[in-house]
Amino acid sequence: MGKVTLVPRSAGPHVTTFDTLLFNTINVFPMFPLFLFTNKNLDLINTHMPELKRVKISHIRGKLHILDLKEIAKWVKEAGGIFCDEDLNFIQWSQAVKNFYQFKCLRDEDLGKEAPQALSYVEHFAFFLNQQDSEDFFAYWLKVEVKLRKEHQSKLYAFDGNMYEQEWTLVYVERISDSKYASSSLISPPTQTPSSSTSKAPSCKPEAPPATSKQPF
């Protein structure tokens, strides 16, 4: 029990809150999934926190209780929420990023936004958000973002702008290649009629697809 602050129903913007168990859990399992930080999933977790399964960490002093991440993912799925990072859409991902960053700042009470990990996540997430056509390319770069985020969490890698640029080049090439394929597949062979001045059969050779203009990187 502690001091309770009531929020008016017409308070305006969504107010994000984090239960203490979330902080305890991420201290033990730093590879924390982003999908738990969407507005909907945070509301589900906060509302049903008393009934969520806990795990006792016996080797930690005081035998700390944390949340069972696998059980939460299963429970969120049954409740109709997103239960996998790769299933997030751009809006959900953007929500989760904002909430996750706020969570990381609160986790380090002394440094807050100046904490090394918080700053590293700013660079990480901002890299993808600030790319040209970021939202249109989302389905192509999400898997890269998840991979790089997990590498940072597990190995504590610092942000490497050059390596991120190399990864984005591959994303760009994949996206543009798919666009060219989709454009060419829509082109059907033109219908030709026999010429009145010749008895030759009409040519069935399709016209060449128009060249796709390459957008600047």
Side-chain angles (χ1 to χ4, degrees), residues 20-210:
T20 302
L21 272 174
L22 283 176
F23 292 98
N24 293 341
T25 303
I26 201 171
N27 285 335
V28 177
F29 297 108
M31 292 184 65
F32 215 72
L34 192 63
F35 71 84
L36 292 180
F37 289 87
T38 64
N39 291 345
K40 179 177 180 178
N41 284 349
L42 280 176
D43 286 342
L44 285 171
I45 292 171
N46 290 333
T47 301
H48 299 277
M49 183 63 74
E51 60 198 76
L52 295 179
K53 184 177 180 180
R54 271 87 161 160
V55 177
K56 183 183 292 185
I57 307 299
S58 58
H59 66 277
I60 295 181
R61 185 178 180 181
K63 296 183 177 181
L64 184 70
H65 282 79
I66 63 171
L67 296 171
D68 187 321
L69 295 184
K70 289 185 177 180
E71 286 296 320
I72 287 184
K74 180 180 177 181
W75 176 81
V76 166
K77 178 182 178 180
E78 294 173 351
I82 299 296
F83 58 95
C84 178
D85 282 1
E86 288 79 2
D87 290 338
L88 295 166
N89 61 35
F90 185 76
I91 294 177
Q92 293 164 336
W93 182 88
S94 300
Q95 282 180 358
V97 164
K98 180 180 178 181
N99 293 333
F100 182 75
Y101 173 66
Q102 182 181 348
F103 177 85
K104 295 295 292 184
C105 291
L106 290 173
R107 185 183 176 214
D108 194 323
E109 297 180 356
D110 296 329
L111 296 177
K113 294 181 179 180
E114 300 302 318
Q117 271 211 321
L119 292 173
S120 180
Y121 277 115
V122 167
E123 293 179 304
H124 170 83
F125 292 128
F127 175 84
F128 294 97
L129 284 171
N130 292 335
Q131 296 298 325
Q132 184 177 356
D133 298 319
S134 176
E135 185 172 357
D136 291 339
F137 284 34
F138 177 72
Y140 293 86
W141 60 254
L142 176 60
K143 58 188 176 183
V144 177
E145 186 277 318
V146 173
K147 181 191 75 169
L148 295 177
R149 174 160 39 89
K150 287 182 177 180
E151 287 181 354
H152 166 73
Q153 291 172 337
S154 62
K155 301 176 182 179
L156 296 179
Y157 285 149
F159 178 80
D160 185 338
N162 291 331
M163 192 269 288
Y164 274 60
E165 290 288 354
Q166 293 173 8
E167 292 284 356
W168 183 261
T169 300
L170 298 177
V171 169
Y172 179 86
V173 170
E174 182 183 3
R175 173 66 176 83
I176 295 302
S177 297
D178 279 3
S179 296
K180 289 181 178 180
Y181 175 78
S183 298
S184 62
S185 66
L186 293 176
I187 299 175
S188 58
T191 302
Q192 296 186 10
T193 57
S195 171
S196 59
S197 61
T198 179
S199 59
K200 290 184 179 180
S203 173
C204 294
K205 184 179 180 182
E207 295 179 355

